Amino acid sequence: MPIFAVHYTYTEATAAERTTNRPEHRGWLNALVDAGTVLTSGPYADGSGALLLFRAEDKPSLEQLLTEDPFAKLGLIEDVRVVEWLPVMGAFSA
């Protein structure tokens, strides 16, 4: 199954709301980790966004899934970039 790198972009204007809603966001992600859909995720150190690695059938189905993220439902993500990723070595390679 393909792996996708998802890049979230955040703005300072939504920082307080993201902090308030982070437990729901991380709960959603943890359920997807348990299901094998999310491989890993985490924010960028500078607070500008986050990187999430997903396994998904295809890009459209993943983009639909991302609409269920509590951050997305609350409009706390400025931009989302989804790119299929082909790891050739290391922990995520086939």
Side-chain angles (χ1 to χ4, degrees):
M1 187 175 308
I3 296 175
F4 293 87
V6 176
H7 303 268
Y8 280 178
T9 301
Y10 302 141
T11 64
E12 187 61 34
T14 60
E17 280 190 80
R18 286 194 320 275
T19 298
T20 299
N21 293 284
R22 187 164 287 119
E24 292 82 6
H25 167 71
R26 288 192 175 163
W28 178 77
L29 288 170
N30 278 321
L32 293 173
V33 168
D34 292 344
T37 303
V38 169
L39 300 174
T40 192
S41 71
Y44 298 130
D46 66 1
S48 65
L51 173 64
L52 308 91
L53 296 181
F54 284 82
R55 286 196 190 278
E57 290 294 327
D58 54 36
K59 186 175 177 179
S61 64
L62 176 55
E63 289 172 333
Q64 177 60 41
L65 176 64
L66 294 174
T67 67
E68 298 173 18
D69 184 337
F71 277 8
K73 287 181 176 181
L74 294 168
L76 303 178
I77 304 166
E78 181 70 19
D79 188 48
V80 178
R81 180 174 178 239
V82 178
V83 181
E84 187 172 349
W85 183 51
L86 304 171
V88 295
M89 62 185 77
F92 301 112
S93 63

